[in-house]
Amino acid sequence: MLNTRDEALALLRRYNKEPFHLQHALTVEGVMRWYANELGYGQEADFWAMVGLLHDIDFEQWPEEHCQKAPELLREAGAGEELIHAVVSHGWGMTGADVQPEHQMEKVLFAADELTGLIWAAALMRPSKSVSDMEVSSVKKKFKDKRFAAGCSRDIIRKGAEMLGWELNELFEKTLLAMKSCEKDIQEEMAAIYGEEE
């Protein structure tokens, strides 16, 4: 069974070797944990975080089957159907897996996933290479520049905010705060993971 965070991380690392993909998974994990606590789902924070950690489990090796291969990988590892539904739903409208986000957690994942990519790309342009000193105005500016991080779908981010009933600004503010809350822990974990492999 897939019960612990250690088991989920080991499963992720079985199919994901690229530092970029691992960092994104750890970021979305931390962001989902923050959102669970922020939105009054603190008792489900571990589950929200596990969904975030595993949401792109199939993307590195099967990009053409993203969100379609994931159920098989997750079921083999003993994941429950609730987790599988949540993982697959973040690809709604983007992949062949046509599962609509229903639970608040699924809507948050749908909205925040692409946005974390945009914010992280913006952070890498800064002298600090960090979100710690980033303002929401920077996020808005990069969001409006369609050539910047062109792979991050603005339509998906907008659709996610609408799904949650939030203004874009609120989604930007909350997701930036969420990323600031976990950045240091992610840096330490990435250093530990890649230190192990040397």
Side-chain angles (χ1 to χ4, degrees):
M1 288 297 288
L2 196 60
N3 292 317
T4 68
R5 199 260 177 181
D6 284 349
E7 288 166 351
L9 183 61
L11 181 65
L12 178 75
R13 291 180 64 191
R14 187 184 307 165
Y15 301 110
N16 290 267
K17 308 298 181 194
E18 290 288 328
F20 174 84
H21 291 137
L22 277 180
Q23 174 142 356
H24 177 64
L26 294 172
T27 299
V28 178
E29 174 193 30
V31 164
M32 292 301 289
R33 181 178 296 284
W34 183 92
Y35 266 114
N37 289 312
E38 175 71 10
L39 300 177
Y41 295 88
Q43 290 178 314
E44 298 173 36
D46 286 347
F47 181 69
W48 283 46
M50 189 179 285
V51 170
L53 186 65
L54 295 172
H55 78 286
D56 276 348
I57 187 166
D58 59 1
F59 186 72
E60 186 176 309
Q61 292 191 31
W62 298 276
E64 302 303 316
E65 296 176 72
H66 182 38
C67 293
Q68 296 173 72
K69 184 76 175 171
E72 176 193 329
L73 305 179
L74 292 166
R75 281 192 191 102
E76 278 173 8
E81 291 304 310
E82 190 183 357
L83 186 140
I84 292 166
H85 187 282
V87 163
V88 173
S89 75
H90 91 274
W92 183 55
M94 293 178 283
T95 69
D98 199 24
V99 174
Q100 190 168 345
E102 293 166 6
H103 184 281
Q104 181 82 343
M105 175 262 289
E106 295 172 342
K107 294 174 184 177
V108 168
L109 177 63
F110 182 87
D113 176 33
E114 291 283 299
L115 183 55
T116 62
L118 182 93
I119 292 172
W120 182 240
L124 292 177
M125 304 286 289
R126 302 171 73 78
S128 65
K129 302 273 191 273
S130 169
V131 294
S132 62
D133 57 356
M134 191 185 291
E135 301 291 336
V136 174
S137 57
S138 298
V139 180
K140 285 162 79 171
K141 192 173 168 187
K142 296 299 187 189
F143 182 83
K144 284 177 186 164
D145 179 0
K146 292 185 177 127
R147 291 166 304 173
F148 179 79
C152 295
S153 169
R154 274 63 169 174
D155 288 344
I156 293 294
I157 294 168
R158 279 195 200 91
K159 196 188 287 186
E162 282 169 24
M163 209 184 276
L164 288 161
W166 298 351
E167 295 292 327
L168 266 177
N169 229 28
E170 184 176 359
L171 179 63
F172 293 164
E173 282 174 12
K174 283 184 160 72
T175 305
L176 183 57
L177 278 172
M179 288 179 71
K180 287 180 179 184
S181 78
C182 59
E183 182 177 45
K184 189 165 178 287
D185 290 341
I186 292 165
Q187 288 169 345
E188 288 172 1
E189 185 155 18
M190 288 292 289
I193 288 171
Y194 288 97
E196 284 170 19
E197 293 180 357
E198 284 169 11

